[in-house]
Amino acid sequence: MLHVNPRSISADSMPDPSIGMDSIQIPIQSSILGCGFEGLINNVLYVIILSAALDLVGTDVPKGVVLLADVAPSFLAKFLAPSLNIHKVPYSIRVLVFAALSTCGMLLVALTPETKDGGTVTVKMSGVVVASLSSGGGELSFLGLTHFYGHFSLAAWGSGTGGAGLIGAAAYLAVTTWLGWSVKSSLLAFSVLPVIMLASFFVVLPRAPLMLARAGSKAIYEELPSEDIDDSFMVASFEGSGAEMPEDEEGLLASSLHSISGRSFSSISAAQSGTLYLRLKYAWGVFRSNLRRSRSLFIPYMVPLLLVYVAEYTINQGVAPTLLFPLSSTPFTSYRDFYPTYNAVYQAGVFISRSSTPFIRIHTLYIPSLLQCANLALLITHAILNFIPSVYIVFAIVFWEGLLGGLVYMSTFAEITDNVPQEDREFSLGATSVSDSGGICIAGFLSMAIETLLCRYQVRHGRDFCKKL
């Protein structure tokens, strides 16, 4: 077996592309640390923003508004990025862009005045949108990146994202509730965290697998059969224009761009050589091809992931603000403390389950997804009928909710890694990640209506705690 020092590879000493991934001894510790930190930082600001939702918009605006601003751009980024050929952008450039967007978004939120009028809330939500674009593009890219580093890198990514939930929620709760920092000071402090994303990619993560991929390793990417993309019209168009069609290139979805003429070509060549009409036709062809490739993922992987995220984020943003008890029966001194505490307890469950993938796996993804839906029904029923006697029981249910959510998330991607052919694996990991953002977007709309209806019902029946947050 050939050993390649991942730090000693340069453009002048590029390994032979025919070597392949199995011929490299990748330092496991560096891969785990690098992927773990990428997962941590990519998700931690997203969690902090959700934890701060009540402080950002106040009691009169549904927290689902923050959820939508935090997730809808991420969903669009994941959905459109493959068709916009993000795979053609080197990972190093992507990481720099994601770090810059995250920092700028957090600064925009933090430096906006803390008043709750419509204008300032809109500006804050604009900052949330910017950070969300970074998170969505980052998740798609970093999940694809784990393809180069093996199973433990996926587990490390999962632990990092789970840790992001726990650390983000606990950190925001600690600095605002226990230490008494202002919302502005807290968010300014957290805005420097993307520096860790840069360090983990450029310093910690081994570079040898990416260098081999960029050299065109046939062991990493295999061409798909020509019928996988229905773009004969594009071949004819480009042959007529005289555009050069280069050999297939490294990256997410690259293997799908293989025409029926037996030659592969890139969207970059299309963008540079064709007319606007041809470029649009080409993009539409790639989009249709990606949808066809996603069909086999829909029922076994995408639907259960979608269901679990719809249920749990409807709980977190729509139902949790109404799961309130008299302060005398709780450990809190303010009704405002319920919301971030529920979020921290939920994230603790997510962290534990996402970190357990190497040891605990499920293969039937629908069972925990349906159990999550049962959690949603149970907590909505309690918000209406008020039959759970103690906040500590709600803590236990919310913790169980986090366990189920993290388990489905990691088991879904682990199943893909085990069962999807290698040439489709990177595409499948990225495409399936659309389901969680799509589910959270649906939950955002549901939670805006559910929180409003539940709070009104409680007030009409003599429980006005939700108006005291």
Side-chain angles (χ1 to χ4, degrees), residues 388-403:
I388 297 178
S390 170
V391 69
Y392 295 100
I393 297 177
V394 177
F395 286 159
I397 296 172
V398 170
F399 180 74
W400 169 241
E401 171 206 345
L403 289 175

Side-chain angles (χ1 to χ4, degrees), residues 65-313:
V65 171
V66 181
L67 180 62
L68 281 175
D70 205 12
V71 175
S74 173
F75 171 72
L76 289 176
K78 293 179 188 178
F79 188 74
L80 296 176
S83 295
L84 295 176
N85 295 288
I86 191 175
H87 62 282
K88 299 296 181 182
V89 181
Y91 277 104
S92 57
I93 300 299
R94 291 190 235 175
V95 172
L96 289 171
V97 171
F98 298 150
L101 287 175
S102 295
T103 299
C104 290
M106 289 298 291
L107 289 175
L108 186 58
V109 175
L111 296 176
T112 302
E114 295 187 16
T115 56
K116 305 298 190 300
D117 61 89
T120 57
V121 169
T122 300
V123 174
K124 291 174 185 176
M125 293 305 99
S126 298
V128 174
V129 166
V130 172
S132 175
L133 288 172
S134 170
S135 178
E139 182 173 359
L140 183 145
S141 295
F142 294 131
L143 271 171
L145 192 66
T146 63
H147 164 70
F148 300 104
Y149 296 95
H151 283 68
F152 275 97
S153 66
L154 178 61
W157 161 266
S159 295
T161 57
L166 180 60
I167 292 171
Y172 187 79
L173 177 65
V175 298
T176 58
T177 301
W178 303 338
L179 299 182
W181 290 15
S182 68
V183 174
K184 177 179 179 179
S185 299
S186 302
L187 296 180
L188 282 174
F190 292 133
S191 67
V192 303
L193 291 176
V195 173
I196 301 175
M197 177 188 293
L198 298 177
S200 62
F201 181 82
F202 289 103
V203 178
V204 178
L205 199 64
R207 307 302 294 278
L210 294 180
M211 292 295 186
L212 279 176
R214 196 150 55 232
S217 173
K218 299 301 182 181
I220 301 176
Y221 292 99
E222 300 291 338
E223 289 186 350
L224 293 181
S226 57
E227 61 269 18
D228 280 2
I229 181 166
D230 181 19
D231 56 5
S232 56
F233 62 93
M234 290 183 286
V235 176
S237 298
F238 279 93
E239 287 179 342
S241 68
E244 183 70 19
M245 296 182 182
E247 295 301 317
D248 79 333
E249 301 179 31
E250 168 272 320
L252 180 64
L253 304 185
S255 58
S256 70
L257 306 181
H258 184 65
S259 73
I260 61 168
S261 67
R263 292 183 292 174
S264 36
F265 55 95
S266 71
S267 63
I268 292 179
S269 178
Q272 292 175 344
S273 304
T275 65
L276 175 62
Y277 174 70
L278 290 179
R279 292 198 297 269
L280 291 175
K281 276 185 99 174
Y282 177 81
W284 175 245
V286 173
F287 178 73
R288 290 173 58 194
S289 175
N290 293 341
L291 288 180
R292 282 196 297 273
R293 295 184 71 190
S294 300
R295 288 175 185 170
S296 63
L297 304 171
F298 187 71
I299 296 299
Y301 307 118
M302 299 178 80
V303 171
L305 191 61
L306 179 78
L307 285 175
V308 80
Y309 270 84
V310 169
E312 68 187 76
Y313 275 87

Side-chain angles (χ1 to χ4, degrees), residues 48-76:
I48 289 170
I49 288 171
L50 290 185
S51 299
L54 178 62
D55 297 324
L56 294 178
V57 301
T59 58
D60 295 330
V61 178
K63 310 320 162 283
V65 171
V66 181
L67 180 62
L68 281 175
D70 205 12
V71 175
S74 173
F75 171 72
L76 289 176

